[in-house]
Amino acid sequence: MRLFARIAIAIASITAVACSSDDLPSHIDSNNRNANTRGDKHSTRIEIPALSNEDLFITHSTTVNGKENITYSLAHAPERKHCRWTAFTFDASNRAINWKRDNWDNTEWRGDPFQPDPELPQNAVFTKEEINWNGYVRGHLVASYDRVYSKDANEQTFYYSNISPMISRFNTGLWSDLEGLVQGWGRNSGFCDTLYVVKGGTIREGEYTQDGTCITVPKHYFMAILCRYSNKYKAVGVMFEHKSYLPGTVSDYAMTIDELEEKTGIDFFCNLPDKLENAVEGLYEKSHWRGLN
């Protein structure tokens, strides 16, 4: 198909009626051949990628005004002792800043709030000692500052299931820069109604190493981001090699979601109707993303 025809179809498909974090309106074409069908609670939310039968699907949440508020979800690969991805949203219910990480000094954790995930056996993830022994830092996937709408939500980001062994300079380099951009987009109600975010490290065969005590260390880290604002959608993927120094800026590593899916083997945003999914995942415009210009 010619390029101008593809773009015209994409623009027509990307414009859609606004939807909640869980469901699309019934009058949007709901045809979807690759939606999650495992039946897990919350597995059909828009931010959730395609689930494999081998992975454990976990959702952490808090209660706000008597209603469940999703903190984040993850797909955990027991054989790797590492999650395959984490997924969450920024929206009106959770973009507020009501908690500061410095406050941990005044809690029972005394500045070190990392803890086992209560939904997993303790031997299903690596430990602080294993990470330190191999010279890595405890890198968040869902960042602490992504979830500061409450103490409870922030606490859940410190579960070891959400932690990955990262090179220190990688964690504080372009990965941190991208986290800042995503937080800025997600907390700007003039930029998005809902921002759907998937983060992870590559753990499929050949895409990780096992150092020392056999902890799984991803060779690359990625984010897939979908923005909904004023009845329109746009998406971008970013992937970094896991090393101490990366040249350039975040925009040098941006790509379409289709390209990111090819590199990671993960089917992102599979719960979108096919027509909308195909349109947004195949198109990336740098000028549409503040900070990537």
Side-chain angles (χ1 to χ4, degrees):
M1 186 182 298
R2 292 182 179 179
L3 178 60
F4 70 85
R6 290 179 58 199
I7 293 174
I9 291 173
I11 292 173
S13 300
I14 290 171
T15 302
V17 178
C19 63
S20 72
S21 296
D22 292 289
D23 301 295
L24 290 157
S26 59
H27 56 278
I28 287 182
D29 179 7
S30 60
N31 183 40
N32 193 338
R33 291 170 295 179
N34 63 328
N36 281 317
T37 58
R38 277 189 11 174
D40 306 74
K41 184 180 180 182
H42 303 308
S43 65
T44 58
R45 290 173 60 90
I46 292 172
E47 71 271 20
I48 305 302
L51 293 165
S52 74
N53 291 329
E54 295 77 24
D55 293 341
L56 302 176
F57 179 64
I58 298 170
T59 296
H60 294 297
S61 63
T62 63
T63 301
V64 178
N65 297 324
K67 181 180 178 181
E68 183 183 32
N69 201 1
I70 303 300
T71 308
Y72 65 92
S73 301
L74 63 89
H76 184 74
E79 75 281 7
R80 301 281 190 263
K81 297 177 69 173
H82 195 290
C83 74
R84 196 168 305 279
W85 45 256
T86 60
F88 64 101
T89 65
F90 281 104
D91 57 35
S93 70
N94 58 35
R95 59 168 48 114
I97 300 174
N98 298 319
W99 176 258
K100 293 182 179 180
R101 179 168 172 168
D102 292 346
N103 292 342
W104 286 116
D105 292 336
N106 301 317
T107 69
E108 62 269 34
W109 288 279
R110 296 184 180 179
D112 187 12
F114 293 88
Q115 56 193 296
D117 189 325
E119 299 296 324
L120 290 171
Q122 290 197 27
N123 63 358
V125 294
F126 39 72
T127 65
K128 174 183 177 181
E129 289 71 27
E130 288 176 314
I131 295 175
N132 289 347
W133 179 265
N134 288 279
Y136 298 100
V137 298
R138 295 173 289 182
H140 281 75
L141 294 174
V142 180
S144 170
Y145 197 56
D146 289 337
R147 304 283 82 167
V148 286
Y149 66 87
S150 74
K151 172 184 179 293
D152 290 342
N154 188 251
E155 174 185 330
Q156 291 170 346
T157 69
F158 288 89
Y159 292 158
Y160 273 100
S161 56
N162 181 48
I163 302 304
S164 186
M166 288 187 184
I167 298 168
S168 179
R169 287 185 62 185
F170 175 88
N171 190 36
T172 58
L174 289 186
W175 181 255
S176 178
D177 293 344
L178 178 56
E179 287 182 326
L181 286 173
V182 170
Q183 290 156 4
W185 297 331
R187 292 200 168 96
N188 184 347
S189 60
F191 181 81
C192 69
D193 298 321
T194 304
L195 196 73
Y196 308 90
V197 184
V198 185
K199 301 182 182 182
T202 56
I203 63 169
R204 65 176 175 172
E205 201 62 43
E207 279 295 316
Y208 68 93
T209 60
Q210 287 188 314
D211 292 358
T213 54
C214 296
I215 62 171
T216 298
V217 182
K219 289 185 177 180
H220 295 83
Y221 286 91
F222 60 84
M223 296 194 201
I225 302 137
L226 173 70
C227 173
R228 176 177 64 83
Y229 178 67
S230 188
N231 305 335
K232 296 181 180 180
Y233 291 81
K234 58 188 175 186
V236 61
V238 183
M239 188 171 188
F240 300 126
E241 186 177 356
H242 184 206
K243 58 183 183 180
S244 295
Y245 173 73
L246 293 169
T249 64
V250 172
S251 64
D252 297 318
Y253 301 87
M255 63 192 72
T256 67
I257 299 299
D258 281 344
E259 291 173 303
L260 187 62
E261 289 181 334
E262 181 69 24
K263 291 177 181 294
T264 62
I266 297 172
D267 184 2
F268 300 103
F269 310 122
C270 66
N271 292 317
L272 286 174
D274 291 338
K275 187 176 180 180
L276 179 57
E277 180 186 0
N278 292 336
V280 297
E281 292 189 351
L283 187 65
Y284 156 60
E285 291 287 346
K286 183 186 294 188
S287 61
H288 293 172
W289 296 87
R290 300 172 185 176
L292 292 185
N293 298 345

